[in-house]
Amino acid sequence: MAQIDNYRNKLNSERKKLADLRKTLANEQKTSAQQQKKISDARSAILQTNSQSTIKSKNNDIERASKVLASSQDKIARIETQIADLEKEIANVEKNFRNEESKIAKKTEAEENKRLKESKRRADEMEKTLARQKKLQDQLQKDVTQLKKIPNKITVLFLASNPIDTMQLRLDEEVHAIQEKIRLSDYRDSIKFESRWAVRPSNILQAINETNPTVIHFSGHGTEEGDLVLQNPDGSTKLVTKEAMSATISTLSSTIRLVVFNACFSKPQAVSVIRHIESAIGMTDSIGDEAAQIFAAQLYSSIGFGHSLENSFRQAKAALMLENIPEDNTPQLFVREDIDGNNIILVQPQGDSYR
């Protein structure tokens, strides 16, 4: 506890004692006055009577009252001494309290002056930093034309969700297959692959804002009603409707050109989102784990070789047929009415432009 708090507490305590003593003194003074009145009344009665019995009784009253009065006056004297001593003690504590207050005020003032000096130093440093940044910005502006030599690039955002209360999928194998196919493609350096795992609804906007993707890839489960299966914080199932997903996509970056729903019964999701973007892929029925992996891996491989989205989709379906997996009709490509899927080329060599 700070010293000033000790002084404050002691002042409060001593002042309470002083108030109690003054109350006791007032009571004792009242008692003394009462006894003096009794003595005075008894003496008056003696002067007004010739009765010896009355005179004797009143003398007895005077004797008793005198004893009480003497005791009360002794108490009054002691209390007054205690009050005087206590007032001196309070005055001393108040002096110490004021001195401590003065010390704290000086210390506070010194700290404030130090803070102001530090704020000024930081402001000066910030001004210098802004000047340096201005020079860097000017230099970067001179080099901006060099950026045109960089090949067109896209970001694929892979969003995975496999709640603990659903059948466990080999989503890591799907990611591995996609990354391997991209690595073997001609324009692998033009594709940046980002992944987010155990995705909750609240993670979607954050991940998209962080990565600014060209392609969003949902991998996991879907329901027969067309809902996506994401996760709650405890790992359990959280359903996301097509309406919610469509509303989400409508608020996001204009760089999104394709959304792949690699989940069972996700056709309604794909149909819903193409109102806001160029294209989407959804599943018309349930799809097996192996089929989902092969389809996705070949889709991004073909995109990585510079093929159009329409051709890449057809090659991904052909990959299922080559593996004798009878689910080649499950994936379905949806393209906005004013766009031809053959004209959607997501990855191009340096020097080309998006169509």
Side-chain angles (χ1 to χ4, degrees):
M1 183 181 292
Q3 186 62 38
I4 194 168
D5 293 328
N6 291 330
Y7 290 141
R8 183 181 290 107
N9 292 338
K10 188 170 184 180
L11 268 177
N12 292 335
S13 176
E14 298 299 279
R15 285 169 177 166
K16 184 178 184 304
K17 289 180 183 178
L18 181 61
D20 291 341
L21 281 174
R22 285 174 173 165
K23 183 178 180 181
T24 303
L25 177 62
N27 290 334
E28 206 58 50
Q29 288 173 335
K30 181 179 180 181
T31 299
S32 178
Q34 289 172 344
Q35 299 310 312
Q36 288 176 344
K37 186 175 185 306
K38 285 182 180 180
I39 293 172
S40 178
D41 291 345
R43 286 175 177 170
S44 296
I46 290 173
L47 293 175
Q48 296 174 8
T49 185
N50 292 321
S51 172
Q52 292 299 315
S53 61
T54 299
I55 292 171
K56 182 178 181 180
S57 174
K58 294 303 179 182
N59 282 330
N60 289 336
D61 290 343
I62 290 172
E63 183 179 356
R64 286 193 297 272
S66 295
K67 290 181 180 179
V68 175
L69 177 61
S71 175
S72 178
Q73 288 178 339
D74 287 342
K75 290 180 181 179
I76 288 171
R78 289 196 300 272
I79 292 171
E80 287 176 339
T81 300
Q82 290 175 347
I83 287 175
D85 292 341
L86 193 55
E87 285 176 338
K88 291 180 182 179
E89 177 63 20
I90 289 174
N92 186 53
V93 175
E94 285 177 338
K95 180 180 178 181
N96 292 334
F97 181 79
R98 288 193 297 271
N99 289 339
E100 191 65 23
E101 275 188 324
S102 179
K103 289 180 183 178
I104 292 174
K106 290 179 180 179
K107 182 179 179 181
T108 301
E109 183 180 2
E111 290 176 347
E112 179 64 13
N113 290 335
K114 182 179 179 180
R115 186 189 68 79
L116 291 173
K117 289 180 180 178
E118 179 63 17
S119 295
K120 186 177 183 304
R121 185 193 67 78
R122 290 181 179 178
D124 292 342
E125 185 62 30
M126 177 62 70
E127 187 175 349
K128 293 177 182 178
T129 299
L130 291 174
R132 289 194 296 267
Q133 289 178 343
K134 179 65 167 58
K135 290 181 180 180
L136 290 173
Q137 187 176 14
D138 291 343
Q139 183 60 43
L140 288 173
Q141 189 63 34
K142 293 178 182 178
D143 298 335
V144 71
T145 54
Q146 296 299 319
L147 296 177
K148 297 180 180 180
K149 299 179 181 179
I150 299 175
N152 292 322
K153 289 188 176 182
I154 68 168
T155 295
V156 176
L157 175 59
F158 183 96
L159 301 175
S161 179
N162 198 176
I164 57 176
D165 54 358
T166 61
M167 180 182 70
Q168 294 304 293
L169 304 173
R170 295 189 300 164
L171 301 183
D172 54 340
E173 291 294 328
E174 182 177 343
V175 167
H176 176 77
I178 292 172
Q179 290 178 317
E180 182 64 15
K181 286 287 190 178
I182 290 175
R183 188 183 67 81
L184 296 174
S185 66
D186 279 351
Y187 308 129
R188 54 186 173 274
D189 293 333
S190 293
I191 302 177
K192 181 180 180 182
F193 189 87
E194 292 274 356
S195 61
R196 299 291 188 273
W197 298 85
V199 174
R200 307 172 191 172
S202 60
N203 299 146
I204 295 175
L205 289 171
Q206 181 67 30
I208 295 174
N209 286 333
E210 286 176 354
T211 60
N212 199 28
T214 308
V215 179
I216 301 175
H217 183 109
F218 289 90
S219 189
H221 292 285
T223 70
E224 293 186 14
E225 292 74 25
D227 297 332
L228 283 182
V229 178
L230 300 186
Q231 296 183 206
N232 285 307
D234 63 357
S236 62
T237 292
K238 175 70 174 182
L239 300 182
V240 175
T241 66
K242 63 181 183 298
E243 291 81 7
M245 185 56 62
S246 179
T248 299
I249 295 298
S250 71
T251 68
L252 297 173
S253 171
S254 60
T255 62
I256 299 173
R257 305 185 69 194
L258 169 65
V259 179
V260 179
F261 296 97
N262 205 15
C264 300
F265 309 105
S266 55
K267 174 183 175 180
Q269 293 278 357
V271 172
S272 181
V273 300
I274 60 166
R275 290 181 295 172
H276 309 292
I277 59 173
E278 295 178 2
S279 57
I281 294 174
M283 304 300 160
T284 59
D285 203 340
S286 61
I287 186 167
D289 213 5
E290 184 181 8
Q293 292 176 29
I294 292 173
F295 174 82
Q298 185 57 51
L299 177 70
Y300 292 108
S301 173
S302 300
I303 289 174
F305 277 99
H307 292 292
S308 69
L309 179 58
E310 180 68 35
N311 194 35
S312 297
F313 176 74
R314 289 200 301 267
Q315 288 191 6
K317 293 181 63 174
L320 294 176
M321 298 173 67
L322 289 170
E323 294 293 339
N324 292 320
I325 297 176
E327 296 180 67
D328 54 289
N329 288 322
T330 300
Q332 190 168 347
L333 172 64
F334 300 90
V335 179
R336 206 169 61 201
E337 291 182 356
D338 59 333
I339 297 175
D340 186 344
N342 291 300
N343 292 331
I344 301 177
I345 299 177
L346 301 176
V347 174
Q348 299 181 30
Q350 181 176 339
D352 288 348
S353 59
Y354 289 131
R355 298 182 186 178

